[in-house]
Amino acid sequence: ATPTAVMVATGVGASHGVLIKGGDALERAESIQHVIFDKTGTLTQGKAAVTAAKVFSGMDVGDFLTLVASAEASSEHPLARAILDYAHHYHFFDKLPTTENAGKQIKEAIPSGWLLEAMDFSALPGRGVQCLINGKKVLVGNRSLLTENGVSIPVEVESFLIELEENAKTGILVAYDGTLLGVLGVTDPLKREAAVVVEGLKKLGVNPVMVTGDNWRTARAVAKEVGIEDVRAEVMPAGKADVVHSFQKNGSIVAMVGDGINDSPALAAADVGMAIGAGTDIAIEAADYVLVRNNLEDVITAIDLSRKTFNRIR
Ligand code: ADP
Ligand code: MG
């Protein structure tokens, strides 16, 4: 393709909200063989909502939710936001939110006065959070976080977790002073266009892949809903780039689509990194493409545009 053709394609892309950083990226997109999608915020809307809260310890559910929200108050993870919204609703309305009223009254900033004081907060990427409340250690996160801290997971809790996960929900475990208190179930709906885009990629001869830090059972359930067979789950934040490299090993051209800070090494490692426009600045910086409309259809637009520019459509 001539420099003029590249310039025209870049302009056409921009008019569709597909920002292309340079002709090399435009050219590489033509021969993409695998598209690796991050799950949370990329295939899903990134609007996690708590759908279940189950206390196993006999604690009052309101106290349980206040404790969990207090532990998550300093976290920037989307799951933390969902937990705070849910607990906030319970605190002010004295009942669990329903799907219809969830989030409605949470438009304004959450006042923090009702939370307990959390000391020594730390976020553990890919696992959860920990802190001290009333001088006792509070853990909120996945199985690994609890087992690494020597908290055992009772059989009844494990079966509740499995039920959540088989329904594509993420189970969040809560422990206080070494004992498991309860579990929250969180769901994050798929983007409306996700399944159509996955189908479209298959028609173009491109292999869709999903990568996530979430557990295997939830990951498989979500992947099944969206039509992806190739799944990598329980990947630590630093491991996403390794997944990209593993697909590149046999000389394949790999695209990564992601939105998070966690995704930026993988976006940089990929032959073509595509950041979701609503994603974090770090992801946008690491990527070759920015999908400004936050619509996954633009992954296909990007591939089409490249194929047309380089005349490989016969
Ligand atoms: P993803 O790749 O899906 O964005 P992350 O690597 O951010 O996932 O997190 C992986 C898992 O770690 C989550 O599914 C959750 O179980 C747990 N986790 C991470 N951060 C938190 C948090 N702030 N509160 C509770 N659980 C968390
Ligand atoms: Mg994400």
Side-chain angles (χ1 to χ4, degrees), residues 38-42 259-260 263:
D38 158 59
K39 175 171 80 72
T40 315
T42 301
D259 69 319
D263 301 320

Side-chain angles (χ1 to χ4, degrees), residues 38 40 72 75 77 79 126-129 140-142 170 172 212-214 240 262:
D38 158 59
T40 315
E72 290 278 14
S75 167
H77 201 278
L79 288 174
R127 286 184 166 74
V129 297
V140 184
N142 56 22
T170 300
I172 298 173
T212 180
D214 209 344
K240 288 187 181 180
N262 287 353

